[in-house]
Each structure stands twice: as C-alpha cells, then as structure tokens.
Amino acid sequence: MKKFFKRFFMILLTVLVSGLLILWMLNKQALTNRKQASCDSLLSPVQKAYLQETLHLKKQFGSKVWPGLDSVNIPIVVFNNCYEFLTGMDRADAGWETISADDFMGRPYLRRKLREPKAFAVLLDKQWAGMLGTLNQMNFEFLNGIRQEFPPVIAQLFPYFWARIAPDQYVVSLLHEMFHAYQAMRNPSRFGKIQSLYRVEQKYPYQSQDFIDLWNKEGFLLWEALSTDDRESMKESIKEFIRVRQERREKYRITADLLDFERELEWLEGLAKYAEIRFYELAAEGDYRSEAVPYRKGLPHWQMEFSRLQNSLGEQGSDFRFYLAGMAQARLLDRMDPDWKAKIMTTNLSLDELLSSGF
C-alpha cells in the first residue's frame, strides 16, 4: 500500500510540474506574440471590427445616451507600442501620414509614430478625438499591471490569455473616451478649466479615516437610491446623500478649489462613465445583435464597480471615486429630471446641484 501511495504521489507531482512547465511555455510564447503584434504598422482586421462596432453603437444608440451625440463626428485614435492610428479624419496636423496600402470602411486612415499615448480626448488640427490603446495594447498593459502585484515566480502562472479586457467592454471604453471629446466640443470653457484641476489634488484629505467613512456613506446612499423602484424611498436616500455630502464638506472645510475638484471631476469622468454603461445597457437589453461583439444583460463588467459604490467609495484611490459618484448621480437624474442633460452640458451646474434642485 505504501508503494502505491508513493507511486501515486510521484505521478501526481510529475503531472503538476509538467503542467506548470507547459503553462510557463504557453505564457512566454503568448507574451512574445503580443510584443510582436504591439508594433503592427497597420490596423489589424480585428481592431477594425472593434472600431466599426464602436461607430455603429454610437449611431444606433447615441441619441438615447445623450441628445445629439449620434450625429456629431468624433474621430478615434488608437495606439500600440509604436504607432498611433487616426480614423474619421482625412488629414491632420504635421506628423501624420495617409496609409495608402490599407483603408478603414472604404476610407483612408492616418498613422504617425507614437507620441503621447493616453486614454482621453485629444485635439488634432482643431478637431477633438477620443484616444485609447488597441485592445491588444490594453490587454498587454493590463497583464503587466497584474504581474507587478506578485512575485516573479507566481506571476508566471498568469498566462496572458487568462487576464484580458473583453471586446464588449473595450468597445464601450472607446465610447467613454469619445464622450470626453464630445464634452470638449459642447462646453469648451468648462472642459478647458478641468485640465488644471489636478494641481490641487495634493491638498485633498484622502487619508483621513472619518473622511473615508463619510465618502463610504455617500456611496452607499447613492447605491441605495439606485437600487429601489420606490420613488419616495429613492428621494429619501438622495436627500440623505446630499446631507452627508454637505456635512463632509463643512467638517473638512472643503475650499472652493477643492469643491471644484470634486464637482468638475464628477462632471468629466462621471458623465463619461455614465455614457459607457448606458451604451452597453442599450446594446444588451433589446433586439440589437452584433457579429463582432456579444453583449450580456446585467452589466457583467461593472458589478465590481457597483459593489465599490455600495461598500467602499471612500477607499477608492485617486480620482476613481468621482467616476463612480458622478455616474451614480447621472443615473439618478435620469429618473428625476428629463431635462438634466441639457442643463449639465451647457451650464456650469454640478451633478449634486441638479440633484439638490429636485427638492
């Protein structure tokens, strides 16, 4: 019997070691392939399909997400490790070249050497565009971020193809960045002001535990308001959210510049997060079908974000709390004020001011 167990253990150990070796080899090959692909000089057919789907979603649901969004031309820039690719413009400022050997949806597209890659809106020859990495690039960076959280030996057990951003999530992430370009077009003075907001961030009391607790309470109240179908219960949660928010600001003597920091980031990133999620909801909830990208009901990619809103909003690092709090307020305003989108885009009103005005 002892011989049997000893032999069984040796077989099991051999299988385990062999399996880990195979995973390491597959992982190494996958990373090599991704590195090679990350400097492609042309848009891949798959990336083109994602871009085409993004434009189709914008045309199909843009007016439901935001009035007029469907009819505004917003170019898209995607980048890999070596190049930026611009679609939706026939020409741009210096440095861009027209690709003669390829096209996108029957039109030429432009390319230049990688300059300042970012996930945001960029101004190109007086035209605002949305900018994001290609899906391959984003997944490569995503995995590298995961790997840095683990010791090297353990990190090797995370093959590239196990950790990735899904195509459906990627498409609406492109729409998120395009919405930033739309904000810049619709309210250029407000958008321009926001660019300098981060200069005051070092004064923001992120680390105070009581400040964190109050932010957590705000998040829970927003989640509670979103989670009920009873209008009166929703209003009570919103009123309490406004009261707690005011208490936090008074207690910590939030100055005018820090108040702008909060409100304007909720306008900037909260509205873009709102648009991202609404596009996905609309694509998933009706009869819409896509050959390139499958959509699933229930917002599968955002469940963790709603959980953070509910349980730990004050513990979110840097500016991510403003993405979530702004998005939640926007979703509540959908139920409170049918004209809120015109007000928030053409004035300097904040989301919490619009919520407060409903009482």
Side-chain angles (χ1 to χ4, degrees):
M1 185 63 71
K2 289 183 179 180
K3 289 184 178 180
F4 171 80
F5 279 111
K6 185 177 180 180
R7 186 177 180 186
F8 175 78
F9 176 76
M10 291 302 297
I11 292 173
L12 184 63
L13 182 62
T14 302
V15 170
L16 179 61
V17 171
S18 300
L20 291 176
L21 181 60
I22 291 170
L23 285 176
W24 180 82
M25 294 174 64
L26 287 172
N27 183 49
K28 184 177 180 181
Q29 184 60 50
L31 286 172
T32 300
N33 292 341
R34 295 294 180 175
K35 286 178 180 177
Q36 292 172 347
S38 67
C39 270
D40 285 347
S41 59
L42 299 175
L43 287 172
S44 71
V46 173
Q47 182 64 40
K48 287 181 185 179
Y50 299 148
L51 291 172
Q52 188 168 352
E53 175 65 11
T54 301
L55 295 174
H56 192 260
L57 278 188
K58 177 178 171 293
K59 182 178 180 180
Q60 183 82 5
F61 300 115
S63 62
K64 294 181 179 180
V65 172
W66 208 275
L69 181 58
D70 59 322
S71 59
V72 177
N73 176 48
I74 304 175
I76 306 173
V77 180
V78 294
F79 58 88
N80 58 28
N81 267 342
C82 298
Y83 297 100
E84 298 171 12
F85 304 95
L86 170 59
T87 62
M89 291 177 65
D90 292 330
R91 64 178 67 87
D93 42 21
W96 292 95
E97 61 173 327
T98 302
I99 303 299
S100 58
D102 199 15
D103 68 90
F104 172 64
M105 297 177 64
R107 292 181 57 185
Y109 64 92
L110 308 179
R111 179 184 65 202
R112 73 179 179 187
K113 290 286 188 181
L114 189 68
R115 290 190 179 180
E116 296 183 27
K118 63 177 76 174
F120 199 50
V122 291
L123 186 61
L124 301 172
D125 199 18
K126 300 180 181 180
Q127 172 73 54
W128 284 100
M131 186 176 198
L132 191 65
T134 64
L135 182 55
N136 274 357
Q137 177 73 12
M138 289 186 67
N139 275 329
F140 187 78
E141 292 176 358
F142 179 64
L143 180 67
N144 280 345
I146 291 176
R147 286 168 174 274
Q148 291 172 10
E149 300 297 321
F150 295 91
V153 174
I154 297 177
Q156 290 298 327
L157 302 181
F158 291 93
Y160 186 87
F161 48 82
W162 284 9
R164 66 189 187 92
I165 298 166
D168 54 340
Q169 186 179 11
Y170 175 70
V171 165
V172 293
S173 295
L174 278 169
L175 287 161
H176 176 122
E177 308 309 339
M178 293 170 72
F179 191 83
H180 283 319
Y182 183 71
Q183 290 172 299
M185 295 176 196
R186 289 293 310 277
N187 199 329
S189 61
R190 188 170 191 174
F191 187 87
K193 173 186 173 184
I194 288 170
Q195 306 309 297
S196 62
L197 281 177
Y198 283 96
R199 72 183 187 279
V200 304
E201 187 176 16
Q202 70 270 17
K203 298 195 300 181
Y204 200 71
Y206 284 114
Q207 303 305 319
S208 169
Q209 187 57 53
D210 187 50
F211 192 76
I212 291 170
D213 292 341
L214 288 169
W215 258 110
N216 283 344
K217 192 169 184 180
E218 288 176 48
F220 176 79
L221 290 164
L222 287 171
W223 174 85
E224 189 176 58
L226 287 172
S227 300
T228 182
D229 293 326
D230 181 75
R231 190 169 181 83
E232 291 307 312
S233 297
M234 178 188 70
K235 287 184 176 181
E236 287 304 312
S237 295
I238 293 173
K239 286 180 182 178
E240 183 64 7
F241 158 73
I242 293 167
R243 187 196 68 76
V244 173
R245 172 161 281 203
Q246 187 62 30
E247 175 190 341
R248 173 178 58 78
R249 287 171 173 170
E250 289 176 358
K251 185 173 183 178
Y252 281 86
R253 298 176 183 175
I254 297 298
T255 54
D257 56 352
L258 290 178
L259 185 62
D260 275 349
F261 177 70
E262 289 189 358
R263 286 176 162 174
E264 296 307 305
L265 283 178
E266 287 185 344
W267 181 85
L268 179 72
E269 296 295 357
L271 292 185
K273 175 63 72 174
Y274 163 87
E276 167 192 323
I277 292 175
R278 281 299 293 145
F279 270 112
Y280 194 97
E281 279 182 315
L282 291 165
E285 70 186 13
D287 297 328
Y288 180 77
R289 295 290 181 273
S290 167
E291 294 183 4
V293 175
Y295 300 96
R296 294 174 287 161
K297 294 182 180 180
L299 296 176
H301 302 297
W302 294 272
Q303 291 308 306
M304 184 175 291
E305 293 187 359
F306 279 102
S307 178
R308 290 174 178 174
L309 177 72
Q310 177 188 2
N311 300 307
S312 57
L313 186 60
E315 295 156 36
Q316 302 309 305
S318 188
D319 59 359
F320 191 60
R321 70 187 65 198
F322 305 116
Y323 286 66
L324 299 181
M327 173 274 294
Q329 291 173 75
R331 290 173 73 85
L332 288 170
L333 282 166
D334 272 346
R335 299 162 65 178
M336 294 284 294
D337 182 358
D339 299 320
W340 76 272
K341 290 177 180 176
K343 297 172 187 175
I344 201 70
M345 194 60 81
T346 58
T347 70
N348 288 320
L349 288 169
S350 65
L351 287 159
D352 53 20
E353 285 174 322
L354 283 180
L355 273 180
S356 300
S357 67
F359 300 101

